Amino acid sequence: LLGGALAFAGYAFAPNTITMFVFVGAYAVFGFAGPALNAIMSKLVGPKEQGELQGALACVGSLTSVAAPIVLTQIFFFFTKPAAPVYFPGAGYLAASLFLVLAAMVFTRLRTTQPATASAAKASSLGLAASLGGESESMTSERSISKRSPGPQP
C-alpha cells in the first residue's frame, strides 16, 4: 500500500514526464498489494468465514471502482478551475495517496490484533449467538437433522 501511496504522491508533484516514469516502478510494487492483502486477511478469519471475507473484499473493490473516478475527477476539477484557491492538477493523485496511507493505517491496526484460534472463535460465536437470542450451531444442526428424518411411519 505504501508503494502505491509513494507512486501517487510522486505523480502529484511530478514536474515532467520523465519523473512520472520514475514513479511507475513504485506503482508496479503496488500491484503485489492486492493478492498479498487477500492472503493475509484470509488467515485472520476462520474457514467458514472465507466466503464472507472474499465477498466483502469484492464488494469494497467494486464500490471503490465506482466512487474513485467520481471523487477524484471532482478534486481535479476543483483544483484546476480558474477560481481555484490553488492551481494543483495533481490534487487527485495526492488524495489517492492519502487514501492509501489511511488504508495502510487501518490494515496495520487490524493486523496487530491476534487472530483467535478456531476453538476460541467457535466458542465465542456460540456464546454470541446465544446471548443475542439466536441459535447455536449445534441447535441449528439438530433442527436440520430432525427435519430430514422421516419420523414415525404410519
Side-chain angles (χ1 to χ4, degrees):
L1 291 178
L2 294 179
L6 174 68
F8 285 142
Y11 294 158
F13 295 106
N16 54 38
T17 307
I18 301 295
T19 310
M20 293 287 283
F21 285 120
V22 170
F23 287 102
V24 168
Y27 189 73
V29 173
F30 180 57
F32 295 109
L37 290 173
N38 282 347
I40 291 169
M41 285 185 277
S42 69
K43 291 180 181 179
L44 294 175
V45 298
K48 293 185 179 183
E49 292 87 13
Q50 290 296 319
E52 291 178 25
L53 172 67
Q54 296 305 320
L57 292 174
C59 179
V60 169
S62 296
L63 290 175
T64 56
S65 294
V66 170
I70 296 168
V71 171
L72 296 177
T73 54
Q74 292 303 309
I75 292 172
F76 176 77
F77 170 74
F78 181 79
F79 283 99
T80 57
K81 65 184 178 181
V86 176
Y87 180 76
F88 184 44
Y93 285 111
L94 187 59
S97 177
L98 294 175
F99 288 141
L100 281 176
V101 169
L102 288 173
M105 290 170 44
V106 168
F107 183 73
T108 303
R109 182 162 171 90
L110 291 176
R111 190 79 172 109
T112 57
T113 60
Q114 293 296 324
T117 62
S119 60
K122 183 176 178 181
S124 67
S125 68
L126 292 177
L128 180 61
S131 69
L132 293 176
E135 295 180 336
S136 68
E137 186 177 314
S138 61
M139 291 168 62
T140 306
S141 56
E142 286 173 14
R143 191 166 47 103
S144 63
I145 290 171
S146 66
K147 283 184 179 178
R148 282 185 268 154
S149 63
Q153 296 290 332

